[in-house]
Amino acid sequence: MFALDVAAHTGPWRLRHPAEKALLSLGLLACAVALPPWPGAVLSGGAAAALLLGPARVSPAVVLRAARVPLLFVATSAVPLLVTMPAPARLAVDPAGPALAAQTAGRSVAALTCLLLFSATTPLSDVLPRLHRLGIPPAVTEVAALTYRMLFLLVDSVRAVREAQAARLGFRTWRTAYASLAGQAGAVFVRAFSRARRLEEGLALRGYTGSLTVQVEPRRMSPPFVAATVGLLVAIVAATTVAGSRW
C-alpha cells in the first residue's frame, strides 16, 4: 500500500464519518481558494497542516513524501510568473512578478495541504460506497474502485519485473538499462491486460449485473467535531475579513 493509504487506515481518525472529514478538509480548501492569499490561504493551510500533524498524527515524512511532486510542480509553475516579455525575443524581470508568484504558490500549497488532510485520514473504501447517497451513478464509483485496485497490482508488477531485471544485471550499463525499461513496459502492459481480462471473466461468472453491492459500516456524525469545524472556518473567514479591512 502507499504511505497515504497506510496512514488513512491506521490513523486515529479512521473511524470518523467521512462527511466530517470532508466538511473540514473541503471547507478549508474553499477558504484557501476563495479568500485572499494573505491571510486567508495562510490561515487555511496552517490549520490544515496543524491538524494533519497534530490530532490526525500523520508522520511528517509521509506528508513530505506525498507532497514532494506537487510542490515541485508548484515551484516550476511559479517561475514563469517572475518574468515578462515586453518585446519579441526579450525577457525581463516583472516588477510585480515576485508578489504574484508568492501569492500563487502560497495558495497552491495551502490547497495541497487541505487535500492531504482528507486523503491521509480517509480511506477511499470509506468514501466510494457512500457516494451513491449523493446521486453518483454506481458505474462511476465502481470504475474508480476497480482502477484504485488495479493501481496496486500494477505497482506490484513493476516492482517484481524490476527486481527480476536487476537480478539479471539488467541495469549494469546505460544500454542495458534502456533495454530493461523497454522490456519492463511491455511486461507490465501484458500483465495488466491479463489481470483485467481475468477480472472481467470473474465478474461475469459471479453474475455481475452492473452493480457491486458492498456492506457499508454505519457511523454516526459527531456534533462536537462538526461544531468545531464550523467554528474554525468562521474564525478563518472573520480573521481574513478583519485583516482585509485594516489593509
Side-chain angles (χ1 to χ4, degrees), residues 37-95:
W38 174 260
V42 175
L43 292 176
S44 301
L51 292 170
L52 191 62
L53 302 176
R57 292 207 296 267
V58 180
S59 172
V62 173
V63 177
L64 293 176
R65 183 177 179 182
R68 57 185 178 182
V69 175
L71 288 178
L72 179 61
F73 176 78
V74 171
T76 55
S77 300
V79 171
L81 299 177
L82 300 174
V83 297
T84 184
M85 186 174 289
R90 178 185 175 187
L91 285 178
V93 177
D94 190 355

Side-chain angles (χ1 to χ4, degrees), residues 124-185:
L124 191 62
S125 57
D126 288 349
V127 178
L128 292 179
R130 291 178 169 86
L131 292 180
H132 300 297
R133 302 174 184 176
L134 300 179
I136 305 298
V140 176
T141 58
E142 289 172 8
V143 169
L146 293 175
T147 304
Y148 179 71
R149 172 58 179 163
M150 289 297 297
L151 183 62
F152 291 98
L153 297 177
L154 287 178
V155 171
D156 291 339
S157 298
V158 171
R159 184 180 296 112
V161 173
R162 185 175 182 85
E163 290 177 355
Q165 290 176 335
R168 294 172 174 82
L169 301 180
F171 299 94
R172 184 170 53 87
T173 62
W174 285 104
R175 183 175 181 179
T176 57
Y178 284 129
S180 298
L181 289 176
Q184 183 181 103

Side-chain angles (χ1 to χ4, degrees), residues 154 157 183-198:
L154 287 178
S157 298
Q184 183 181 103
V188 171
F189 174 78
V190 172
R191 285 194 175 194
F193 188 82
S194 176
R195 287 180 180 271
R197 183 174 58 186
R198 284 187 291 173

Side-chain angles (χ1 to χ4, degrees), residues 1 11 27 31 56 71 80 88 101 105 109 120 137 155 169-171 190 201-202 215 218 230:
M1 298 180 67
C31 291
L71 288 178
V109 173
V155 171
L169 301 180
F171 299 94
V190 172
E201 294 174 352
Q215 184 178 3
V230 175

